[in-house]
Amino acid sequence: MREILPALHRWYAAGSPFGLATVVTVSESAPRGPGAAMAVGAGDDVVGSVSGGCVEGAVFELAQEVIESGEARLETFGYSDEDAFAVGLTCGGRITLLVRRVTPQEDVSFGAVAESVAAGRPVTVATVIDGPAPRGATLAVWADEMAGSLGSTGLDVAVTADARGELALGATGRRHYGPHGERREDAVSVFLHSFAPPPRMLVFGAIDYAAAVARIGDFLGYRVTVCDARPVFATPKRFPEGVEVVVDWPHRYLHATATDDRTVICVLTHDPKFDVPLLEEALRRPAAYIGAMGSRRTHEDRMSRLTQSGLSPAELARLRSPIGLDLGARTPEEVAVSVAAEIVALRWGGSGTPLAATDGAIHAGRTGRELS
């Protein structure tokens, strides 16, 4: 979708209707993932692909029908053992597509979404796939605003909250709700398509705890980098596949690395020669979370050194040290869980209190700072 948005934006700005087919579900060896898109415009112009050529002809005809009728369609394509010449996926996979008509009147936020993607501003588009809500209805959600509607105030509120959570992780996928946004119901199926790169997690100090934190960070959807100045420790074989490993002085690497309000920084070196200059750099730049490992005594010594370095009380207040929530963690894996719990709690404004000891709605009133 990201690649074809410039062409779609031109069609949209010209007021020319087009049919937009988006992959919303895949199974087995489907050639394209959720979010892949193909569009058919005026004059039979076609951009994009949903299957690498297997079912594009059928989707072309389907998009033309949708342009004519204005009625969104949900279609599934798979492999047919009975008829090898039937329209389907030769790889044996299965894809489900939502095909809808897009015009300035039917999708008032499409232009703003395209402009946001072009400018690198994260946005999630929620689209009704199936259920009692109007199929094809869209809701665009940014970190601080929203546009459009899925047909119900309650559904809009629930989807907006989830869309911002997906936006924080740059994730795309389906969610299910009741007709008015009820949780744990599946009457309404909604596709959340996030246009944002995954947030970064920067882990400094290539120790056993770093491997566990990197693993859980990858599991939560972060793009993880581990950095250490000691090449004997900073080796890819010690970390999960997909985790970037860098050999460099931590403060020098961070100085040359862009961060934003979604970035998570975990300082696990607990060595003054590494962590003090690193934290001087970290506490003066954008980040959603900055945590540092160490004992109470290490923390007090570190705060004294940072104060002497000229950091302000406001800058020092951003530091989460000792890192993590009080879970009684001992092993690297348990410590990683406590760190991840603190990151999630900060994102959503959670208290870290056992839910059994709280009252009221579990998700109500969570207006904490989001990683977006």
Side-chain angles (χ1 to χ4, degrees):
M1 173 70 90
R2 187 184 298 272
E3 289 74 19
I4 68 174
L5 268 176
L8 304 189
H9 194 200
R10 289 193 297 271
W11 295 351
Y12 183 86
S16 178
F18 58 90
L20 178 61
T22 305
V23 177
V24 295
T25 305
V26 302
S27 65
E28 301 177 29
S29 56
R32 302 295 303 274
M38 167 181 161
V40 177
D44 296 337
D45 288 338
V46 179
V47 293
S49 172
V50 292
S51 72
C54 295
V55 300
E56 269 68 6
V59 175
F60 174 81
E61 295 179 0
L62 182 60
Q64 289 181 314
E65 294 174 8
V66 168
I67 293 173
E68 181 67 25
S69 69
E71 181 179 348
R73 299 268 297 275
L74 192 67
E75 296 287 341
T76 297
F77 295 91
Y79 181 78
S80 173
D81 290 326
E82 290 75 25
D83 184 356
F85 295 98
V87 174
L89 304 180
T90 57
C91 60
R94 192 175 185 86
I95 62 172
T96 298
L97 306 174
L98 175 70
V99 187
R100 64 187 181 94
R101 184 173 68 184
V102 178
T103 67
Q105 295 74 34
E106 293 168 302
D107 190 341
V108 297
S109 62
F110 188 90
V113 169
E115 291 170 1
S116 292
V117 174
R121 182 188 179 199
V123 58
T124 292
V125 178
T127 308
V128 173
I129 299 172
D130 207 1
R135 178 178 290 165
T138 61
L139 175 69
V141 180
W142 292 264
D144 54 358
E145 62 178 306
M146 52 179 281
S149 176
L150 303 182
S152 160
T153 300
L155 184 58
D156 288 347
V157 170
V159 171
T160 295
D162 288 344
R164 286 179 175 149
E166 299 293 352
L167 184 60
L169 297 175
T172 289
R174 293 177 72 156
R175 289 290 185 100
H176 301 276
Y177 307 87
H180 302 288
E182 298 89 344
R183 305 284 180 175
R184 297 180 297 277
E185 294 188 23
D186 59 3
V188 180
S189 180
V190 178
F191 183 65
L192 301 181
H193 192 174
S194 296
F195 294 92
R200 298 200 65 182
M201 173 182 280
L202 306 177
V203 181
F204 294 96
I207 59 177
D208 289 345
Y209 291 95
V213 170
R215 188 176 298 111
I216 202 167
D218 180 67
F219 175 76
L220 291 175
Y222 289 93
R223 181 164 66 94
V224 182
T225 298
V226 176
C227 175
D228 197 301
R230 301 163 295 182
V232 67
F233 295 114
T235 61
K237 66 181 180 181
R238 299 184 65 237
F239 296 93
E241 184 179 357
V243 171
E244 179 186 30
V245 180
V246 175
V247 179
D248 200 351
W249 279 83
H251 72 281
R252 183 169 61 191
Y253 174 78
L254 183 58
H255 180 74
T257 300
T259 63
D260 59 26
D261 290 336
R262 303 187 302 153
T263 304
V264 165
I265 299 174
C266 299
V267 179
L268 310 182
T269 53
H270 55 83
D271 183 332
K273 71 175 179 289
F274 290 122
D275 61 18
V276 170
L278 171 60
L279 287 170
E280 284 185 58
E281 177 69 31
L283 293 170
R284 289 178 170 137
R285 59 166 52 230
Y289 173 90
I290 304 170
M293 176 176 282
S295 66
R296 302 287 184 188
R297 180 179 299 176
T298 298
H299 170 70
E300 292 175 2
D301 177 70
R302 180 189 291 136
M303 292 295 283
S304 176
R305 291 172 184 265
L306 292 172
T307 299
Q308 293 173 16
S309 298
L311 271 77
S312 69
E315 290 169 332
L316 292 173
R318 300 178 63 203
L319 179 61
R320 299 279 172 155
S321 174
I323 196 169
L325 296 185
D326 180 15
L327 304 182
R330 294 290 188 274
T331 68
E333 290 75 18
E334 290 172 346
V335 170
V337 170
S338 79
V339 172
E342 184 173 43
I343 292 169
V344 172
L346 180 62
R347 181 198 303 168
W348 296 112
S351 65
T353 303
L355 288 173
T358 63
D359 299 313
I362 293 174
H363 298 101
R366 295 297 171 87
T367 57
R369 188 171 67 186
E370 298 178 14
L371 306 187
S372 56

